């Protein structure tokens, strides 16, 4: 997701805990102003900060927030020389002086799109990055250093330079592909240019040029630099690497770098002569170390750790498909440790060790490859040109150790592939000096004192190649010195960002109004800032999270955007608290979005005013709720291209012809005490999804104690995961009018005497109405209330399928209250109502199915119909028990969770992921696996 398209001025979507190094986040609400003249004759000189003086010539301040207690300054486009006066600051503050640009560590730097240092062999710049600097990027962002320009990024062990994603910088989970990466382009030789004096090879992303005839060219310095969560995907063949070296020359210094969780390769070389040392490559998706097109540098002290079911090769080594292309790839490797993963990545590539192919040469010393039971081959040589390199001793490997279940894969003739030569790779490997195939004896990645790796390495490496240092051991580590400490991530137990407190805000965000806070009025005594949101929101607003702030939804309907016009986005940061007055609610119009992006540590809470005021209590129906209006399909419209169904409260239109429409995101959102009553037939649901499309992300949501339904769907195809519905008055999960979405991991509980059905499922009443409701549900647990009436005369029941709905229900558990009377047991747990004959047809045509499910109730089944023609059309018990995996077995639960030793629910479900990639792989019935409670940390637990 590209966050810069969500909020103005590149405002970040959430502000929580910092990943990696930790730290605090402080929010600047944008209300700070410089002084303006008090009157024309007595002006006051505007105050200019050190940062503004230093950086405003080549960057723009992001006024929406600060990270690590620092301002955020945005770089975009080209960084070029200037003839203006020097703006270099003192201390940690950088600036620009002619062709030198210094990124100080007094601020955090943000990349907006492709940021290019210098022009191609013109307008050259020297880009310096100070130690301890953090640079963050969004989904289309990357940094390029052009030919003849240079980067000087010299961190330290205690102050590494970190390139990371916006999401990670603000405390969200860092994931592969969240931004681009770092690209260095040089003037060194590359074998894709027949004339190196006129070489303009095009880089695979952005068509930036590289290549030339200067093997000693310098692109600068990278020391103690970490690049994480990069590698955004352009298309099926183009993705960004963590660090790309395009014809980079030997004058470049690269020492102590890490690439972590990149979505393509960790580092890749296209020709050039640059050498690298002390390199950490962890959990990268494709190849960790990749070279091609004539790389002739060195790599020493390289640690590669792959991700199980998430990586391909440790090393993928090419030169050129044309054996006559020069220069031939011929790097020198020394002291490399590769931990080969198990399984295969999502692209279908198996985890493997080293692949030499496409005519590459190389001289490798002291290499250790360790694989597991489910790892692929650890050493492979492929194609005729590479076999020739091995036979001619242009490809050698000495004093190395292969510790793998599948150690070798031979080169073999293949007529279809045009291969005629064979090579016994095991024999080739073992006949060379000092090579071993056996146990490596490691403690993690460090060799034990008894390991052969400590004594089996090649000596005198510096005399073999003066670019190497002597290291007489196999692998990247000598058994006592761990050079990864202090500057890397995800190696030393630091993968989980620390939970930090929310910042303190001093003013309300633009678009909201501050109101006076009387001391002692709120239950949370830290609240001293209340920001009111009301009326029609026609421009982007972000509700910033803070430990001292709440947001008041007031004045009736707060409507985001106009109906498919004046589109706006309501952003809500993780940890934000909202409360609403009695007649108020939020409606997100067609074409607009809500981006409510909480997390497990800091959920977003929407509740009633009474729930937060001292002396009052939260109860059902005290405010409205959340309404999302989309452009998806609904069977209330005969013509989907001209569809304007009126929502039941407020007459807001919804519906259209786009079931992939996006209304934004709801993640880790809790809605409490909503559902006010308009009249006897109109009440608000906790969250209403009106023709909302599948482009909307909904996960980890809870609706508690709503005055009507918990969540309801009117058509559309929105999907949900991790849904917790507690003590809602009417139906917890309700659908109608053609909902065709999916839901997994749904847990429903009732309050006795104050609830109706766990699921109420409808489609249409008119014959032939389309689309037909046909959702797919998996892993649902319903604990319905007792068979006693709520205030509307409805009793506690499990599932009612009626009004012509179709659908698939799998891995569903309904466990009713057990007792001797209606006051002590649940009503019917599974009912089919065939009043509308289409439902009977759906049963008979297997369009309504239920498998691998358990009904554990005193009153398990019921069939009903107000239509004499369908009065006895379905025997629900026969229908249910006749389908695969269903039973009426007794189960044992504790707060919805089976015991870890359970055999009734666990291991008896069906894996829906094999049929639809939306679903996570499970083998159990119900919402929980007996070990993990996915509600922990963010949900509200009713007392």
């Amino acid at each position: 997701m590209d966050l810069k398209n969500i909020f103005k001025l590149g405002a970040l979507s959430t502000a929580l805990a910092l990943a990696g190094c930790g730290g605090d986040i402080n929010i600047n609400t944008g209300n700070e102003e410089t002084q303006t003249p008090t009157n024309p004759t007595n002006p006051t000189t505007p105050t200019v900060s050190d940062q503004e003086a230093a950086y405003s010539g080549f960057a723009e301040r992001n006024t929406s927030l600060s990270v690590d207690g620092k301002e955020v300054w945005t770089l975009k486009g080209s960084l070029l020389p200037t003839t203006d006066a020097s703006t270099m600051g003192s201390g940690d503050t950088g600036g620009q002086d002619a062709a030198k640009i210094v990124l100080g560590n007094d601020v955090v730097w943000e990349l907006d799109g492709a940021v290019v240092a210098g022009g191609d062999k013109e307008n050259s710049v020297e880009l310096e990055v100070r130690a301890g600097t953090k640079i963050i990027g969004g989904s289309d962002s990357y940094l390029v250093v052009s030919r003849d320009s240079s980067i000087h990024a010299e961190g330290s062990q205690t102050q590494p330079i970190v390139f990371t994603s916006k999401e990670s910088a603000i405390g969200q989970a860092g994931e592969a592909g969240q931004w681009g990466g770092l690209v260095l382009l040089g003037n060194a030789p590359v074998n894709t240019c027949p004339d190196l004096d006129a070489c303009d090879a095009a880089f695979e992303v952005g068509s930036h040029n590289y290549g030339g005839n200067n093997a000693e060219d310098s692109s600068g310095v990278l020391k103690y630099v970490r690049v994480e969560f990069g590698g955004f995907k352009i298309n099926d063949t183009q993705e960004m690497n963590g660090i790309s070296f395009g014809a980079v020359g030997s004058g470049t210094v690269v020492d102590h770098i890490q690439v972590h969780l990149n979505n393509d390769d960790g580092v890749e070389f296209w020709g050039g002569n640059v050498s690298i040392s002390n390199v950490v490559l962890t959990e990268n998706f494709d190849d960790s170390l990749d070279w091609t097109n004539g790389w002739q540098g060195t790599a020493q002290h390289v640690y590669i750790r792959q991700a199980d079911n998430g990586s391909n090769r440790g090393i993928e080594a090419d030169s050129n498909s044309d054996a006559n292309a020069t220069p031939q790839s011929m790097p020198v490797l020394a002291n490399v440790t590769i931990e080969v993963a198990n399984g295969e990545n999502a692209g279908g590539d198996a985890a493997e060790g080293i692949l030499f192919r496409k005519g590459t040469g190389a001289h490798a010393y002291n290499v250790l490859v360790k694989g597991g039971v489910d790892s692929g081959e650890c050493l492979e040589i492929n194609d005729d040109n590479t076999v020739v390199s091995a036979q001619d001793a242009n490809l050698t490997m000495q004093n190395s150790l292969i510790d793998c279940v599948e150690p070798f894969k031979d080169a073999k003739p293949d007529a279809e592939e045009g291969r005629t030569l064979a090579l016994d790779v095991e024999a080739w490997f073992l006949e060379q000096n000092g090579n071993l195939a056996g146990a490596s004896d490691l403690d993690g990645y460090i060799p034990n004192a008894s390991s052969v790796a400590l004594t089996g390495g090649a000596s005198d490496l510096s005399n073999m190649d003066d670019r190497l240092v002597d290291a007489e051991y196999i692998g990247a580590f000598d058994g006592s010195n761990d050079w990864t400490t202090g500057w890397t991530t995800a190696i030393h137990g630091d993968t989980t960002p620390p939970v930090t407190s929310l910042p303190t805000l001093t003013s309300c965000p633009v678009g909201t109004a501050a109101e006076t806070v009387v001391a002692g009025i709120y239950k949370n005594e830290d609240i001293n800032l209340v920001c009111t949101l009301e009326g029609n929101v026609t421009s982007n607003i972000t509700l910033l999270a803070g430990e001292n702030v709440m947001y008041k939804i007031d004045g009736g309907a707060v409507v985001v955007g106009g109906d498919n016009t004046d589109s706006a986005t309501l952003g809500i940061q993780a940890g934000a608290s909202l409360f609403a007055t009695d007649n108020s609610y939020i409606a997100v119009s067609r074409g607009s979005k809500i981006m409510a992006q909480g997390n497990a540590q800091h959920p977003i809470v929407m509740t009633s005013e009474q729930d937060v005021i001292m002396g009052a209590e939260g109860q059902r129906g005290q405010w409205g709720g959340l309404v999302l209006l989309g452009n998806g399909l609904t069977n209330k419209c005969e013509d989907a291209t001209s569809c304007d169904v009126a929502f039941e409260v407020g007459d807001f239109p919804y519906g259209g012809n786009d079931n992939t429409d996006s209304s934004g995101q709801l993640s880790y959102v809790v809605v409490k005490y909503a559902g006010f009553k308009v009249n006897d037939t109109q009440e608000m649901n906790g969250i209403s999804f009106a023709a909302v499309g599948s482009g909307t992300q909904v996960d980890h949501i809870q609706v508690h104690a709503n005055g009507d339904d918990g969540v309801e769907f009117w058509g559309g195809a929105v999907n949900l995961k991790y849904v917790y519905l507690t003590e809602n008055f009417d139906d917890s999960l309700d659908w109608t009018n053609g909902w065709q979405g999916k839901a997994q991991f749904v847990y429903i509980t009732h309050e006795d005497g104050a609830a109706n059905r766990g699921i109420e499922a409808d489609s249409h009443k008119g014959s032939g109405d389309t689309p037909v409701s046909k959702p797919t549900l998996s892993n649902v647990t319903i604990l319905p209330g007792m068979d006693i009436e709520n205030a509307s005369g409805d009793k506690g029941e499990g599932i009612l399928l009626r009004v012509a709905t179709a659908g698939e229900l799998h891995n569903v558990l309904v466990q009713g209250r057990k007792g001797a009377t209606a006051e002590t047991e649940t009503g019917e747990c599974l009912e089919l109502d065939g009043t509308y004959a289409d439902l009977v047809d759906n049963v008979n045509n297997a369009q309504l199915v239920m498998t691998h499910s358990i009904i554990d109730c005193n009153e398990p089944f019921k069939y009903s119909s107000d239509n004499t023609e369908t009065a006895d059309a379905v025997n629900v018990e026969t229908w249910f028990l006749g389908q695969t995996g269903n039973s009426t077995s007794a189960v044992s639960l504790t707060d919805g969770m089976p015991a870890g030793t359970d055999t009734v629910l666990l291991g008896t479900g069906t894996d829906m992921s094999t049929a639809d990639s939306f679903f996570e792989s499970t083998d159990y019935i119900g919402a929980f696996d007996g070990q993990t409670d996915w509600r922990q940390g963010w949900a509200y637990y009713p007392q």
Side-chain angles (χ1 to χ4, degrees), residues 735 759 774-782 798-801 806-815 829-832 842-843 846-857 860-861 876-888 910 912 925-926:
W735 72 75
I759 293 177
K774 193 177 181 183
T776 303
L777 278 61
S778 182
N779 299 101
V780 179
T781 295
I782 303 175
I799 299 174
L800 172 61
L801 306 173
E808 296 183 27
L809 290 82
H810 307 280
N811 302 329
V812 176
L813 167 65
V814 184
Q815 185 186 52
C829 283
L830 177 59
E831 176 182 359
L832 271 61
N842 291 337
V843 169
Q847 296 301 301
L848 179 61
V849 298
M850 191 169 185
T851 76
H852 298 86
S853 296
I854 293 176
I855 305 296
D856 179 17
C857 301
F861 306 109
V876 177
E877 181 176 9
T878 301
W879 170 77
F880 176 77
L881 294 178
Q883 297 177 83
T884 304
N886 292 342
S887 75
T888 55
T910 182
M912 289 298 296
I925 295 172

Side-chain angles (χ1 to χ4, degrees), residues 15-312:
L16 306 167
L18 295 175
C21 294
D24 297 326
I25 295 180
N26 298 304
I27 305 300
N28 180 341
T29 62
N31 291 346
E32 298 178 6
E33 298 179 356
T34 58
Q35 289 180 296
T36 55
T38 56
N39 59 65
T41 60
N42 184 29
T44 301
T45 303
T47 300
V48 177
S49 69
D50 292 342
Q51 289 72 31
E52 186 176 359
Y55 303 135
S56 59
F58 61 88
E60 178 182 346
R61 185 183 172 193
N62 181 338
T63 58
S64 298
L65 82 167
S66 60
V67 175
D68 296 350
K70 301 176 182 179
E71 296 175 0
V72 175
W73 281 76
T74 303
L75 301 169
K76 61 177 66 176
S78 297
L79 303 179
L80 301 173
T82 181
T83 57
D84 294 341
S86 173
T87 64
M88 289 295 184
S90 59
D92 294 329
T93 303
Q96 182 168 11
D97 184 1
K100 184 173 183 177
I101 298 173
V102 178
L103 306 185
N105 65 14
D106 56 331
V107 302
V108 171
W109 296 92
E110 176 185 30
L111 304 176
D112 184 356
V115 177
V116 184
D120 181 37
K121 297 200 288 188
E122 63 181 12
N123 294 319
S124 302
V125 297
E126 177 186 322
L127 179 64
E128 179 181 332
V129 185
R130 294 269 173 81
T133 299
K134 180 175 288 185
I135 301 174
I136 63 178
S139 61
D140 62 347
S141 301
Y142 58 102
L143 177 62
V144 177
V145 180
S146 302
R147 291 189 291 189
D148 288 356
S149 290
S150 60
I151 183 172
H152 296 263
E154 296 192 52
S156 68
Q157 185 176 22
T158 57
Q159 287 191 300
I161 293 167
V162 178
F163 290 80
T164 190
S165 67
K166 288 183 180 180
E167 290 88 342
S168 174
I170 61 174
Q172 294 182 348
E175 297 178 356
Q178 290 175 331
W179 71 290
L182 178 59
V183 181
L184 274 62
L185 304 170
N187 293 290
V190 57
N191 65 28
T192 53
C193 282
D195 181 4
L196 292 177
D197 292 328
C199 181
D200 293 302
F203 186 66
E204 62 181 358
V205 177
S207 297
H208 310 285
N209 293 331
Y210 66 93
N213 60 5
N214 183 7
E216 298 178 355
D217 188 35
S218 175
S219 295
V221 178
L222 299 179
K223 281 190 174 183
Y224 290 100
V225 172
R226 192 168 80 229
V227 178
E228 56 191 25
F229 312 127
F232 67 70
K233 186 172 184 177
I234 307 295
N235 53 45
D236 288 340
T237 61
Q238 290 180 305
E239 292 170 308
M240 292 288 289
N241 305 299
I243 307 178
S244 298
F245 297 92
V248 175
S250 62
T252 309
V253 177
V254 182
D255 178 22
H256 289 87
I257 62 170
Q258 179 182 15
V259 178
H260 175 63
L261 259 180
N262 200 76
N263 201 41
D264 193 33
D265 300 336
V267 294
E268 184 165 359
F269 302 86
W270 290 264
N273 304 74
V274 62
S275 294
I276 60 176
S277 61
N278 298 97
V279 178
V280 176
L281 304 173
T282 47
E283 277 82 65
N284 296 297
F285 182 81
D286 194 13
D287 311 312
S288 296
L289 176 62
D290 192 331
W291 70 73
T292 189
N293 299 145
W295 180 46
Q296 295 194 336
T298 67
Q300 186 172 21
H301 291 111
V302 179
Y303 171 46
I304 294 172
R305 185 185 69 198
Q306 296 180 313
D308 287 342
N309 303 308
S311 296
N312 187 201

